Amino acid sequence: MTAVLGKLGDRILERLVPKASAKAEAEWYVHCYCRERSDYRKLCTTAGCGSCYAYRICGG
C-alpha cells in the first residue's frame, strides 16, 4: 500500500513541477587557439560546445 501511494505521489509531483526546471546547466570556457594576435575560446555546456570566437589579444 505504501508503494502505491508513493507512486501516486510521484506522478502528482511530476505534473506540478516540470523536470526541466530542476536541471542546472554547467558552463565553462575552452581555449581554442591563438592566431593573428587574437586569442580564441568557446563556451561549452553539458549539452555541447559552441563555436570559437576572439576574446582578447594574444599575450595580453
Side-chain angles (χ1 to χ4, degrees):
M1 186 66 164
T2 305
V4 173
L5 291 175
K7 287 181 183 180
L8 180 62
D10 289 342
R11 287 184 183 171
I12 293 171
L13 188 60
E14 283 178 3
R15 292 188 184 252
L16 295 176
V17 181
K19 289 181 182 179
S21 67
K23 279 188 176 179
E25 203 167 301
E27 294 181 344
W28 64 93
Y29 289 99
V30 176
H31 183 262
C32 295
Y33 50 85
C34 182
R35 184 179 69 192
E36 298 173 8
R37 296 184 36 111
S38 293
D39 208 359
Y40 288 80
R41 71 179 177 184
K42 60 185 171 182
L43 178 64
C44 294
T45 64
T46 52
C49 292
S51 59
C52 295
Y53 63 93
Y55 74 100
R56 70 176 182 181
I57 294 176
C58 291

